[in-house]
């Protein structure tokens, strides 16, 4: 399947549609197989004990799957999460950005299902795994 949006278009959309996270999450790479997004970790993402918070990891996974879907269907701002499950498997490494490797498992007319493995930059072991289902609004 040919991509409807490229890496730069997705990053521009993210900055425009979600200014609250502008500069924090970026699409690193994108191809037909999947997408990798980076969370630039700073103090606002940390919880007591110096580890990245669960809500920050969840947000990264949610944004990564959303952007992977948009890469395939184009700019559809009202695609929304309808189901999510996340497993936190190990503590992220301190002082490192997080990378979310995402692939779309199924893309239908009304629903899309994706999976993300989150890892600390420079490591191979996942710190979290997330699966999500998105509802895609009907074309008008």
């Amino acid at each position: 399947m040919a991509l409807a949006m490229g890496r730069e278009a997705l990053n521009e959309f993210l900055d425009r549609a979600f200014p609250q996270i502008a500069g924090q999450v970026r699409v690193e790479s994108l191809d037909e197989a999947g997408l990798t997004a980076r969370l630039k970790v700073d103090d606002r993402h940390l919880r007591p004990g110096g580890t990245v918070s669960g809500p920050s990891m969840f947000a990264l996974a949610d944004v990564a799957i959303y952007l992977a879907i948009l890469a395939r269907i184009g700019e559809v701002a009202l695609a929304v999460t309808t189901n999510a499950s996340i497993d936190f498997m190990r503590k992220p490494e301190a002082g490192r950005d997080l990378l979310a490797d995402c692939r779309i498992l199924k893309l239908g007319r009304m629903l899309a299902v994706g999976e993300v493995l989150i890892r600390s930059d420079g490591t191979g072991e996942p710190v979290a795994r997330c699966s999500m289902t998105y509802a895609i609004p009907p074309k008008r």
Side-chain angles (χ1 to χ4, degrees), residues 72-83:
R72 285 153 183 77
I73 67 172
E75 193 173 311
V76 179
L78 294 178
V80 295
T81 309
T82 60
N83 190 45

Side-chain angles (χ1 to χ4, degrees), residues 2-26:
L3 295 176
M5 295 176 76
R7 184 177 62 86
E8 287 305 316
L10 290 169
N11 284 329
E12 288 170 10
F13 171 78
L14 196 57
D15 289 343
R16 184 177 73 253
F18 297 96
Q20 64 272 31
I21 61 167
Q24 293 178 55
V25 177
R26 307 307 296 159

